[in-house]
Structures are given as C-alpha cells and as structure tokens.
Amino acid sequence: MHAFDILGDPVRRRILELLADGEQSSGALTTVIQDEFGISQPAVSQHLRVLRDHGFATVRPEGTRRLYAVSAERLQEVDVWLERFRRFWDQRLDALATEIARGKRERRMKADATEKEDP
C-alpha cells in the first residue's frame, strides 16, 4: 500500500502527530483520539495496527502497556516523493529569509544611528 493511502486518513495523521512528540502509550493515544474524533477504542486500535503493519509506527510492550513510536523509514518515502515539489516553496522560503534579514539589518542600523545622535 502506498504511504499516502495510509496517511490519507485524518485519524492516522493525528496519531503520527502525537507520536512525533515522543513515545506514547496506546491508552494515552486512545484518550486523545476519542476526544478529538469521537471514535471507539477498538477503532483507535485498528488505526494503530494499520500504522504499525505498514511501517509508520513501532510498538513495544512495557508490562501491560503498549508503547508506540514513529518509525522514520516510511516517512522517508514520503519525503523522497515530496522532493520534486520542494522547488515550489524553497524559493519562497529563501526570499522570506532574505526579507527577514533585511528588516533586522535596517532596524539595527536605525538603532545604531539613534545611539550616535543621543550623547
């Protein structure tokens, strides 16, 4: 299954967003997803299973808990696919960085000029 088939579901995307902050228990994930999407615990478990079975998440047992984490390999596949589109935003981000630097430089020059005027 293609990575975007898996990531096309908003629940699975949200789970990955939560996991991007670090390893989480299935219980913690379930609580957030149930609150945000109003789905049952078995439905959340099914989404976790899809993410795990398709390589987007790993799980490790810790006593009676199951701890999930992001698995980077499949996300790298997405990154590679996005590479051909980066040119659409990289140039704009570079231009934004230039404008920010220009604004900082102008403010610094004004501040220096003001200090020189005031004894």
Side-chain angles (χ1 to χ4, degrees):
M1 192 175 284
H2 192 276
F4 286 108
D5 293 329
I6 305 301
L7 298 176
D9 186 279
V11 173
R12 291 193 285 265
R13 284 194 311 270
R14 180 63 176 133
I15 291 170
L16 285 175
E17 289 171 1
L18 294 168
L19 293 176
D21 293 333
E23 191 175 59
Q24 302 233 4
S25 71
S26 58
L29 291 167
T30 297
T31 298
V32 172
I33 297 301
Q34 283 181 314
D35 289 346
E36 292 182 8
F37 292 92
I39 62 176
S40 68
Q41 182 276 326
V44 176
S45 293
Q46 182 63 32
H47 285 292
L48 287 168
R49 182 175 165 209
V50 168
L51 289 170
R52 187 183 68 238
D53 289 352
H54 289 91
F56 285 95
T58 60
V59 63
R60 71 177 180 87
E62 185 178 85
T64 59
R65 299 181 338 149
R66 298 273 182 252
L67 298 174
Y68 285 83
V70 170
S71 178
E73 292 81 25
R74 287 299 303 269
L75 291 175
Q76 289 171 347
E77 177 185 329
V78 173
D79 187 53
V80 167
W81 187 86
L82 285 171
E83 183 61 37
R84 72 179 75 156
F85 301 101
R86 282 201 175 82
R87 64 186 167 93
F88 294 112
W89 63 80
D90 280 350
Q91 187 176 7
R92 289 186 177 116
L93 290 175
D94 291 344
L96 176 61
T98 300
E99 289 302 315
I100 290 171
R102 182 177 292 137
K104 286 180 181 178
R105 186 173 50 250
E106 289 174 1
R107 283 192 300 278
R108 195 170 43 247
M109 289 171 58
K110 281 184 180 179
D112 289 347
T114 303
E115 286 179 10
K116 289 180 182 177
E117 291 176 5
D118 294 333

